[in-house]
Amino acid sequence: MNARAVTVSEEYLARLEHGADWREEIEEFCARKDIESAWFNAMGAVQDAELWFYDQTDQEYQSVTFDEPLEVAACVGNVALLDGEPFAHTHAILSRRSGQALAGHLDSATVFAGELNLRAFEEPLERDHDAVTDLDLWL
């Protein structure tokens, strides 16, 4: 395990803007506040979504698009620098009207309503390429 201690510098509660992109809202907020590393939780609803699933054999993301209103039952992620910019690594559990759950890496989604709790860290974290997984991982 690769680990390091971090210190929480600030904690924010925020409402995501209706009609904005869910992940971009988080990244733009971090850029405005000069946040280079953070952990966040969120909930709400989206008008549509694109989820990614990482195929561990092919080492490629598979995309699935949902063009329908969905509840964001849970959303968790972290922020680290990727190519010098804040990147919000975002996972979500979304639910359909029927209660069917959809989950994965949230690439994009149009916000209907969203509430965010974000803890910023003093220590900057950067994503680097991991040769074993072919992913850009933090620490």
Side-chain angles (χ1 to χ4, degrees):
M1 176 185 296
N2 185 354
R4 64 190 278 204
V6 293
T7 304
V8 175
S9 59
E10 296 179 296
E11 185 167 7
Y12 296 93
L13 298 176
R15 185 176 68 207
L16 303 179
E17 193 70 34
H18 177 83
D21 181 81
W22 188 281
R23 189 169 55 86
E24 287 179 6
E25 275 281 273
I26 297 167
E27 291 170 348
E28 290 170 2
F29 175 79
C30 289
R32 279 193 311 275
K33 296 288 188 180
D34 293 321
I35 297 170
E36 296 181 346
S37 60
W39 186 266
F40 63 86
N41 296 292
M43 61 184 177
V46 295
Q47 298 170 31
D48 54 34
E50 182 179 356
L51 294 176
W52 287 3
F53 173 82
Y54 190 70
D55 186 309
Q56 296 175 20
T57 303
D58 294 340
Q59 294 190 329
E60 292 183 4
Y61 281 102
Q62 307 295 321
S63 173
V64 182
T65 302
F66 301 93
D67 191 18
E68 61 187 282
L70 301 161
E71 287 291 315
V72 180
C75 176
V76 63
N78 59 55
V79 175
L81 296 179
L82 179 63
D83 299 325
E85 299 293 325
F87 173 74
H89 182 199
T90 309
H91 284 244
I93 301 170
L94 309 175
S95 66
R96 288 183 158 144
R97 179 183 302 260
S98 67
Q100 178 189 20
L102 310 164
H105 177 95
L106 184 67
D107 182 58
S108 62
T110 305
V111 175
F112 180 77
E115 297 171 330
L116 173 74
N117 171 238
L118 184 139
R119 288 183 174 182
F121 304 132
E122 287 182 9
E123 301 78 9
L125 296 171
E126 187 121 15
R127 292 194 166 276
D128 287 320
H129 183 76
D130 177 68
V132 175
T133 63
D134 200 29
L135 294 168
D136 294 321
L137 303 175
W138 71 347
L139 298 179

